[in-house]
Amino acid sequence: MAEPTGEDGEAEEASEGAEVLDGPLPEGVRRRVIAIVADAFGSLTVAELPPQLRQYVRFTPNRRAKFAGSAMAAALETHPPFRTRIAERLREAQPELASALAAGTPPRAADPLDVAAAAYVLRPAGWVELVAVAGEEARQAEAGRAGAEAQRELRKLRAELSEARAAARDEAERARTELESGRKEADALQRKLRSAVSDIRRGQAALRKVEAELESLRAASAAEKAAAESEARRLKSRLAEAESALEVSRRAAREGRSVADMRLRLLLDTMLETAQGLRRELALPPASTRPADTVEAVEPGRLTPKDVANRALAETDPALLDQLLALPRAHLVVDGYNVTKTGYPTMPLEKQRLRLLGGLAGLAAQTGAEMTCVFDGAELAAPVLLAPPRGVRVLFSKPGQTADELIRRLVRAEPPGRPVVVVSTDREVADGVARAGARPVASSLLLKRLARS
């Protein structure tokens, strides 16, 4: 749209310069002006808008009026080309109102706020007076509406007050009636309460008496129960002792029979194998002789008396240990730490045990003899997780017991006549086992034999 030029533009500028509001727009007129601008805003291009309003071009009229109202009012006042464009849109939208304002005869039936807002935008002659009159009429109308509303509210409040007073009188009368009835009921309740209190006191006295009797009965019952429980515990204890003694006697009888049978069987096997071994070693003739057997000669595989004499070995010869272990049912008992601390004392105890047990396992496989290795339990800092090697029994002495005592118990457990060899350099151990019928040998002899393997 072309900007106003020539005489019309100059007249409009002169008219605007001659008429100026002496105060702010009335609030009602201002709202109508912002609504007119918001409606016409969408029909303008971005280039036709003032820079401060271009950010609101995509807003709806309602949002535009809400968020850009102040900016649009300021642009309408300070940017004449923008106001001219808005005026053109208003003339197109409301031609009758615009013509009436231009003629100076605003329609009487129109809303004064709409007339004032249109006059502010179009700026016809006398627009300031139209705006002032519309604002005054709006204020008077608002005041009239407020007065009428106040009168209606006053009449309503008076009616409510009258109703409240009547209700209060009724409520007071009802309260007096209820109070009188309540007093009568309270007197009746007081009489009932005094009677109930008297009954309660009598009941409490009876209850205390019953409780005292019940407490005495409970005490007597508790004493009887305690005596009965004590007697029951005593009888249970005696029964448990009797059962334990019976079980011990049964176990002792079973173990005595089993140990005696085992010792007798082992002794019998030992005697039989010993007899067979002696017959082979001494080349004893059979019980029934034949003529050819009386002829003196040396047969292949037979030992002569000279050979038997030459078989005696020194105490330090490892072959002596082989001879002892070759005896029937031989049992080798080893004082473990005595041997390891003689042969390799600088090694840790765990490695000492493993090395000795490995050597004994090989010796057991070679000779077939029964082998038991005894260690002192006092040397242990913690429980030992040890898998005994095949053919070797590993024992640790109990707390408060030495390995020497355990060795003597092992020797005493064997039947008389069975060959038992004890390896230890401890003189006390050697003497003790010798008195019990065992054959002591030095630890160095076992170490030499294991080194030869």
Side-chain angles (χ1 to χ4, degrees), residues 203-215:
Q204 288 176 344
L207 179 62
R208 285 193 293 270
K209 182 179 178 181
V210 172
E211 287 178 348
E213 295 176 356
L214 180 61
E215 187 63 28

Side-chain angles (χ1 to χ4, degrees), residues 16 147 171 233 257 262 276:
E16 292 176 1
E171 187 67 25
R233 285 194 297 272
R257 288 196 302 270
M262 178 186 66
Q276 294 175 1

Side-chain angles (χ1 to χ4, degrees), residues 219 317 377:
D317 190 350

Side-chain angles (χ1 to χ4, degrees), residues 176-213:
R176 282 194 295 271
T177 304
E178 292 178 354
L179 179 60
E180 186 64 26
S181 175
R183 285 175 180 173
K184 292 179 181 179
E185 291 179 359
D187 293 339
L189 291 175
Q190 286 290 340
R191 290 191 295 272
K192 292 181 180 179
L193 179 60
R194 286 192 292 271
S195 176
V197 168
S198 178
D199 294 340
I200 290 173
R201 288 175 180 172
R202 287 194 297 271
Q204 288 176 344
L207 179 62
R208 285 193 293 270
K209 182 179 178 181
V210 172
E211 287 178 348
E213 295 176 356

